[in-house]
Amino acid sequence: MSDRYIQNLFADRIGGKNYGKGTEIYKFEKIKRAKRAALAANPDAELIDMGVGEPDEMAFADSVEALCQAARKSENRGYADNGGTLYREAAARWLKNVCGVQGIDPATQVCHSIGSKAALSILPACFVNPGDVVLMTTPGYPIFGTHAKYYGGQVHNLPLLEKNDFLPDLASIPADVLKRAKVLVINYPNNPTGASATPRFFADVVSFAKKNNIIVVHDAAYAALVFEGRPMSILATPGAVDVAVELHSMSKAYNMTGWRLGFVAGSPLIVRAYADVKDNTDSGQFLAIQEACAYSLDHPQITQTIAAKYSRRMDGLVGVLKGLGFNARKPKGSFFLYVRAPKSAFGANGQRIAFESAEAFAQWMITDRLISTVPWDDAGAYVRFSVTFVARNEADERRVLNEIGRRLGASRFEF
Ligand SMILES: Cc1ncc(COP(=O)(O)O)c(C=O)c1O
């Protein structure tokens, strides 16, 4: 059987000869399994899914119409490669009009990505040699770190703690780590904590980067989804374009997760290196998608409508969770509410159950209460509720939130 020698050919970075033989089950797979089991045990019950990390609605009708029209144009049919002038110009306009970033040159300081995930997987190739260190916040979206490790790099984790408003403590990095560090990856509004950055924090990051000869990758996938004020870009910080790139995405801000488009903007030198490796990785996103997304970027009211919905849902959810004893505070943006997991609760059988981790609490929530959340135990025990749950309309939204309150009402949580 050829499988036998194929098994011996796998690269060490994915486990070598042991690839696929591990028995460890990853968190998201455990959640999926628990959901399936809970549904099988309660076939007629409604599982309330607060674990989803993507919008619950489709793209706005005008964006879809713009795609239909653009798809009919012969000139949009071929490989886009790194091209797509309409989108890169719309991106520079959007940064200026929505985030107040002046002077971004669309030709040299913007290049599209097939979603920010793709950009996070490409950028490590530009900077990481074996032994180099990448500074990353934890908990967080791991893609940059995964690829950095593929190239022999090391990840130094910076915990996001409530006492620091979920901002990393840059002064905590040991000198020998800092000496080998090349990249700092940050993400605000943050997944999963929902925290936002401040102008002061961005200014500190820029001066930290310059002082230590480090580049900054700001993953701004949720940047436009804010509940107050205007979206914040690190590129509006004086000096940031010398050392940073920012990754934006159509996925969350425009309900376009499946469309696969975003952009990398900032330092011309970093953007050029990204574009060179990208050119050797993909052939660009369909120009018709780029054109429809350029139309969407020029209509930021789409995002404002989406953000208003999440803000309303967030208010409701914070109210329900506070009533149950959670220390829930409405974030300034994103669609995530991150709350400390309780230490114990009363179960359906009237016995108090202790939770030794957020994961144990989340498993209980699915199994006992048919409510799905995502647990994080990386820097304290927390669970993430996402307000992208499915509801038919505002009345149904309120029903779902009340139902959460009802299902958890008798739990007498201890924290
Ligand atoms: C923090 C963060 N960055 C990037 C992404 C990827 O987004 P995209 O759809 O643009 O690839 C996600 C998606 O969940 C995310 O949460």
Side-chain angles (χ1 to χ4, degrees):
M1 275 239 306
S2 49
D3 275 9
R4 212 171 303 145
Y5 74 74
I6 293 173
Q7 189 70 44
N8 290 328
L9 300 179
F10 288 120
D12 293 341
R13 67 177 68 88
I14 65 162
K17 288 186 177 62
N18 293 321
Y19 168 72
K21 292 188 171 167
T23 50
E24 193 185 348
I25 309 169
Y26 291 105
K27 179 172 73 182
F28 287 98
E29 179 55 27
K30 277 192 199 160
I31 294 169
K32 269 192 217 153
R33 289 186 190 184
K35 269 201 240 178
R36 276 200 300 271
L39 281 173
N42 307 275
D44 300 324
E46 175 189 27
L47 189 141
I48 299 178
D49 198 344
M50 309 292 281
V52 188
E54 63 175 309
D56 56 308
E57 287 187 85
M58 66 181 286
F60 279 36
D62 286 354
S63 302
V64 176
E65 186 49 38
L67 172 62
C68 294
Q69 286 179 23
R72 288 195 191 94
K73 295 183 186 168
S74 158
E75 65 270 27
N76 282 342
R77 74 187 182 285
Y79 292 123
D81 295 323
N82 286 339
T85 311
L86 288 178
Y87 186 65
R88 55 170 73 202
E89 286 180 348
R93 248 188 331 269
W94 183 89
L95 280 170
K96 176 161 156 278
N97 296 336
V98 175
C99 305
V101 181
Q102 306 291 334
I104 292 291
D105 173 14
T108 59
Q109 292 185 279
V110 180
C111 183
H112 82 273
S113 67
I114 302 186
S116 31
K117 186 174 189 177
L120 289 165
S121 74
I122 287 172
L123 279 163
C126 306
F127 289 97
V128 180
N129 285 327
D132 291 343
V133 169
V134 174
L135 306 169
M136 292 192 61
T137 55
T138 184
Y141 194 68
I143 303 300
F144 193 105
T146 304
H147 285 263
K149 287 187 218 155
Y150 286 168
Y151 293 113
Q154 292 164 17
V155 173
H156 178 81
N157 284 323
L158 302 169
L160 296 182
L161 304 174
E162 200 165 343
K163 67 173 174 100
N164 298 332
D165 295 326
F166 301 112
L167 299 172
D169 178 5
L170 300 174
S172 71
I173 305 163
D176 60 316
V177 172
L178 204 47
K179 223 184 295 161
R180 289 183 294 127
K182 279 188 168 174
V183 186
L184 167 66
V185 183
I186 52 174
N187 159 231
Y188 291 97
N190 182 257
N191 175 11
T193 67
S196 284
T198 60
R200 167 82 199 271
F201 171 71
F202 279 156
D204 287 350
V205 164
V206 170
S207 61
F208 167 84
K210 289 190 174 180
K211 183 169 163 226
N212 296 292
N213 297 342
I214 284 170
I215 67 145
V216 179
V217 173
H218 180 221
D219 173 359
Y222 300 87
L225 288 176
V226 292
F227 306 146
E228 54 188 80
R230 81 191 317 190
M232 256 203 309
S233 164
I234 196 172
L235 302 178
T237 309
V241 285
D242 303 334
V243 293
V245 281
E246 190 162 75
L247 276 44
H248 286 276
S249 170
M250 304 304 293
S251 293
K252 328 280 170 156
Y254 289 91
N255 292 349
M256 288 176 159
T257 38
W259 294 47
R260 310 311 305 136
L261 193 66
F263 64 88
V264 177
S267 149
L269 196 51
I270 304 176
V271 170
R272 192 169 97 197
Y274 160 74
D276 279 341
V277 178
K278 176 182 174 301
D279 213 19
N280 283 286
T281 306
D282 64 55
S283 301
Q285 183 50 282
F286 184 25
L287 287 166
I289 288 182
Q290 293 199 40
E291 197 171 321
C293 288
Y295 166 88
S296 306
L297 284 179
D298 283 333
H299 292 80
Q301 60 272 29
I302 295 175
T303 311
Q304 286 158 10
T305 307
I306 295 169
K309 178 180 103 175
Y310 294 147
S311 178
R312 182 182 68 228
R313 289 177 167 205
M314 201 60 92
D315 285 333
L317 181 62
V318 166
V320 167
L321 291 180
K322 271 178 134 170
L324 295 163
F326 286 85
N327 180 17
R329 268 184 300 163
K330 185 183 181 183
K332 294 194 174 77
S334 83
F335 42 63
F336 299 124
L337 184 64
Y338 188 69
V339 289
R340 193 171 268 286
K343 293 207 164 57
S344 72
F346 260 82
N349 58 3
Q351 302 279 324
R352 188 160 276 285
I353 303 159
F355 307 119
E356 77 282 6
S357 62
E359 190 169 315
F361 170 63
Q363 287 286 335
W364 175 84
M365 285 277 277
I366 298 178
T367 310
D368 221 75
R369 304 292 149 114
L370 289 174
I371 300 171
S372 174
T373 57
V374 178
W376 304 85
D377 286 295
D378 310 66
Y382 287 81
V383 282
R384 189 192 78 183
F385 287 77
S386 177
V387 293
T388 54
F389 58 88
V390 175
R392 288 184 298 280
N393 49 39
E394 276 187 53
D396 197 39
E397 233 171 75
R398 280 194 296 277
R399 182 195 63 78
V400 172
L401 293 170
N402 289 338
E403 179 63 13
I404 293 175
R406 197 190 64 75
R407 288 189 194 179
L408 298 177
S411 307
R412 288 157 52 196
F413 292 116
E414 278 180 353
F415 291 87

